[in-house]
Every structure is written in C-alpha cells, then in structure tokens.
Amino acid sequence: GAKAVVLCSHLGRPDGMRKPECSLAPVAAALEKLLARPVSFIGDCVGPEAEAACADPPQGSVLLLENLRYHVEEEGKGVDAHGAKVTAAPDAVAAFRASLRSLADVYVNDAFGTAHRAHSSMLGEGFEVRAAGFLVARELEAFRQVLDAPAKPRLAIL
C-alpha cells in the first residue's frame, strides 16, 4: 500500500563531487525497462529539488534520486576539486540526514554490502519504521544456512 517508492543509491566513488560517469540517470532508464513503468529521475538526492519531488508524488510512482555519494555528507569525507581531502561539517551532515529523512515515511535498507558503514543513508536516522529489504534477507538466510547446517567439507575464507 505505498503511495510511491523513492529509491536512493550510490554508484562508484565520486568522493563528494558530481562526476557524470557516476550518475544514476542511466539506472533510471534501465529500471523503467525492468519495472515496465515510468521512473522519475531526480537530479539530486537532498535539498529543494528532491524534497519537492517527494512531497506529494503521484500514486504508484517510482522516483530514483541522484547519487548519494555526490555529497561529502554521505560518507563524511571526500576530496575537493584539487584532490585535497575534506571532511563534512557536523551541521552539514545533520542537514543532509534531515533532508533524506523528509523524503519518505519508511526506510528500507537493501544494501547488504554497505550496511555496516556509518554513511548517512545507511542509518535510517529519524525513521520510526525501518526494515531490511529482500537482498539483505537473502544474505542473512545464506549466513544462517552456513552457520546452522554447514555442508561438509567446510571452508571459510576471511
């Protein structure tokens, strides 16, 4: 019964800068084909454009936000245009997280590979309803099978 689905993700390591090769715009086109329905690509993941697009989307719509890692506040660090390391200011991180929070009512994390990171989008901060997605559930089930009923012979690579 969701009115709309708002998707956010990252692609590559743009280190807090907009890099065209890391844009999620091509992903929106691929999603349209997979879902057989329109996907609205939003040119940013936070701020006025994203907030306006997510405030009252049409019933049944799918929105894909631009790369989270275009903002240094996502990972907390990055590099500037000259390659110098930069750290996100705490108040900027708080504003980034607040903007992300304003985009949806429910937080679903389906990024198993980055779920252990303290990135802004991984925390689900401020959401009363948080859930693991299907990919995370499949990964946890694979762990359960290995831990509860491992096949023999066993091999663990750490």
Side-chain angles (χ1 to χ4, degrees), residues 17-151:
M17 295 185 297
R18 285 189 171 265
K19 295 182 179 177
E21 66 272 18
C22 294
S23 176
L24 291 175
V27 175
L31 270 173
E32 281 191 351
K33 291 177 184 170
L34 288 170
L35 298 176
R37 68 177 350 161
V39 173
S40 298
F41 179 70
I42 312 304
D44 206 347
C45 61
V46 292
E49 180 183 5
E51 291 170 10
C54 296
D56 190 22
Q59 180 71 34
S61 60
V62 177
L63 297 90
L64 176 63
L65 306 176
E66 183 56 282
N67 195 337
L68 290 156
R69 289 185 179 171
Y70 277 2
H71 294 269
V72 69
E73 296 82 9
E74 166 62 1
E75 295 183 278
K77 60 187 170 108
V79 296
D80 65 16
H82 305 291
K85 292 182 180 181
V86 295
T87 301
D91 58 333
V93 172
F96 182 82
R97 291 177 180 178
S99 185
L100 281 177
R101 168 59 191 98
S102 74
L103 304 179
D105 298 318
V106 175
Y107 173 82
V108 179
N109 184 346
D110 208 22
F112 182 81
T114 56
H116 66 287
R117 298 181 186 270
H119 296 172
S120 291
S121 64
M122 291 290 101
L123 302 176
E125 184 176 290
F127 287 92
E128 289 183 31
V129 179
R130 292 176 286 217
F134 295 125
L135 178 61
V136 171
R138 276 199 321 258
E139 294 287 350
L140 293 175
E141 175 60 21
F143 277 125
R144 188 197 62 72
Q145 289 176 8
V146 169
L147 294 173
D148 293 349

